[in-house]
Amino acid sequence: MDFKVSVIIPLYNKENLIQDAVASCQNLPQVGEIIIVDDGSTDNSLKIAKELESKNLKIKVLQHADKKNHGRSASRNLGIKNALYNFISFLDADDTYCSNRFNNEEKIFEDKNIDGVYGIVVAKFDSEEYENEFNKNGYRIITKVDDDVKSNDVFKTLLHLDKGLFQTNAITLRRNVFDRVAYFDTNFPISQDLHLWCKIASVCKLVSNNDKKPVAVWHIHGTNSVLKENDKREKIKEKLYIDLLKWSIKRKDLSFNTQNEFFYSAEPFLKGKSEIAHLLYFIIKSPFLIIHSFFWIKIIQIIKNGRF
């Protein structure tokens, strides 16, 4: 198997960090290309990226058609659609890969039933202040899916966040996954990665890289979004989980049990005190979805179990 990866780096005002990000992956033998998508930077980021491009044939710099800022989702999507290779990974412009980033993945991907491989990420802090803020917001210094999570349970783990999660810098996916499932949703300025990973994990087979060492470093600094957007993440949860439920009900390739998991994840945000009240509230909010079989199977299940 020819295992070559397209690494996609969304770039916005990271003039002091983009060179380190590129340096961390440009010499990895599995990296076929590095796609830097400038997202309307107003500093010297684009200039530096183009200088890097001129020195290395692996590097390709893209911009949005209007050269304006469109956000991380649109930038990653643009990179995916312009990728040359069959495997896709992501790297934020202020983070870095470790030398073992793809070491175990070629062998794992020989199994054509496996759609994605995830690993471990470690956080690195510019100051003790940032580390304290990071910890206060409930993040882990080591970001990983717990070791006892089997591939069949990755979806539930991501949806309920009860046994860890993988970070975007540590997932590699077959390129066709995005056409089969979804791309990043541009309606979500934050948490867009978790939103997409829940969708993909419900349809595809994702497995661990079986490497106990981190494969990427998450750089926590003064302008890092994880320190600035935590309150926004809490506020967007309702929109995120209800949107996932709507999406799941429209998918004909998802089982009732999988759709039901999406329903349970959205329940805290649905009005009413009972399961039937939650269901009726959701139908009122999205009446066009009543044509889907999920609702009728769910109603029958509620009646049989007496959960009114």
Side-chain angles (χ1 to χ4, degrees), residues 188-247:
F188 286 86
I190 56 175
S191 297
Q192 68 281 109
D193 42 6
L194 177 62
H195 183 256
L196 179 58
W197 306 148
C198 286
K199 290 179 179 180
I200 289 175
S202 72
V203 176
C204 301
K205 185 175 183 179
L206 306 181
V207 302
S208 167
N209 65 2
N210 297 317
D211 193 337
K212 302 299 182 185
K213 296 179 181 178
V215 297
V217 178
W218 188 8
H219 184 196
I220 309 300
H221 50 84
T223 61
N224 195 282
S225 62
V226 75
L227 300 181
K228 293 188 167 188
E229 297 176 348
N230 200 56
D231 289 343
K232 294 180 182 177
R233 290 179 203 281
E234 288 300 314
K235 291 176 182 177
I236 208 170
K237 274 186 177 180
E238 177 176 349
K239 179 182 177 183
L240 186 147
Y241 285 106
I242 291 180
D243 186 81
L244 285 173
L245 174 56
K246 289 180 181 178
W247 173 86

Side-chain angles (χ1 to χ4, degrees), residues 60-300:
K60 179 165 59 178
V61 177
L62 303 178
Q63 294 177 271
H64 298 289
D66 59 6
K67 299 184 179 180
K68 293 182 180 179
N69 178 264
H70 288 265
R72 284 168 286 194
S73 291
S75 298
R76 287 171 178 154
N77 289 343
L78 182 61
I80 296 165
K81 291 173 182 177
N82 282 274
L84 294 177
Y85 294 97
N86 290 326
F87 297 91
I88 303 289
S89 72
F90 304 95
L91 178 62
D92 287 344
D94 49 357
D95 298 329
T96 54
Y97 280 164
C98 300
S99 61
N100 62 323
R101 173 61 180 85
F102 302 104
N103 280 3
N104 296 344
E105 296 188 0
E106 180 172 5
K107 185 169 182 59
I108 293 172
F109 274 119
E110 287 177 358
D111 182 343
K112 290 181 169 52
N113 293 315
I114 291 175
D115 299 295
V117 178
Y118 58 83
I120 299 171
V121 169
V122 63
K124 174 187 174 184
F125 305 93
D126 273 6
S127 73
E128 187 176 341
E129 175 190 353
Y130 300 148
E131 183 173 2
N132 291 337
E133 184 71 16
F134 181 88
N135 292 332
K136 187 177 75 174
N137 288 337
Y139 295 101
R140 296 179 177 183
I141 293 177
I142 299 292
T143 304
K144 56 175 284 192
V145 174
D146 290 355
D147 293 340
D148 63 342
V149 174
K150 306 299 181 185
S151 61
N152 291 341
D153 296 321
V154 172
F155 159 61
K156 291 181 184 179
T157 296
L158 294 176
L159 190 63
H160 302 296
L161 294 177
D162 54 355
K163 288 193 172 185
L165 74 162
F166 54 75
Q167 206 245 19
T168 300
N169 291 331
I171 178 74
T172 305
L173 293 157
R174 296 186 189 272
R175 188 177 61 182
N176 63 15
V177 163
F178 300 96
D179 289 327
R180 287 166 49 205
V181 184
Y183 285 75
F184 289 94
D185 192 328
T186 55
N187 292 312
F188 286 86
I190 56 175
S191 297
Q192 68 281 109
D193 42 6
L194 177 62
H195 183 256
L196 179 58
W197 306 148
C198 286
K199 290 179 179 180
I200 289 175
S202 72
V203 176
C204 301
K205 185 175 183 179
L206 306 181
V207 302
S208 167
N209 65 2
N210 297 317
D211 193 337
K212 302 299 182 185
K213 296 179 181 178
V215 297
V217 178
W218 188 8
H219 184 196
I220 309 300
H221 50 84
T223 61
N224 195 282
S225 62
V226 75
L227 300 181
K228 293 188 167 188
E229 297 176 348
N230 200 56
D231 289 343
K232 294 180 182 177
R233 290 179 203 281
E234 288 300 314
K235 291 176 182 177
I236 208 170
K237 274 186 177 180
E238 177 176 349
K239 179 182 177 183
L240 186 147
Y241 285 106
I242 291 180
D243 186 81
L244 285 173
L245 174 56
K246 289 180 181 178
W247 173 86
S248 73
I249 290 170
K250 293 176 184 177
R251 293 283 303 200
K252 294 182 179 179
D253 55 348
L254 292 182
S255 68
F256 171 78
N257 288 339
T258 298
Q259 292 172 331
N260 210 25
E261 284 295 332
F262 280 109
F263 178 81
Y264 287 137
S265 73
E267 266 200 309
F269 310 103
L270 301 174
K271 307 297 182 187
K273 295 183 178 180
S274 66
E275 200 167 1
I276 191 68
H278 296 158
L279 187 64
L280 291 174
Y281 173 77
F282 186 63
I283 292 172
I284 291 169
K285 295 287 285 187
S286 309
F288 65 96
L289 293 175
I290 200 169
I291 63 172
H292 293 272
S293 62
F294 169 81
F295 289 106
W296 306 108
I297 297 172
K298 185 69 177 172
I299 287 171
I300 292 168

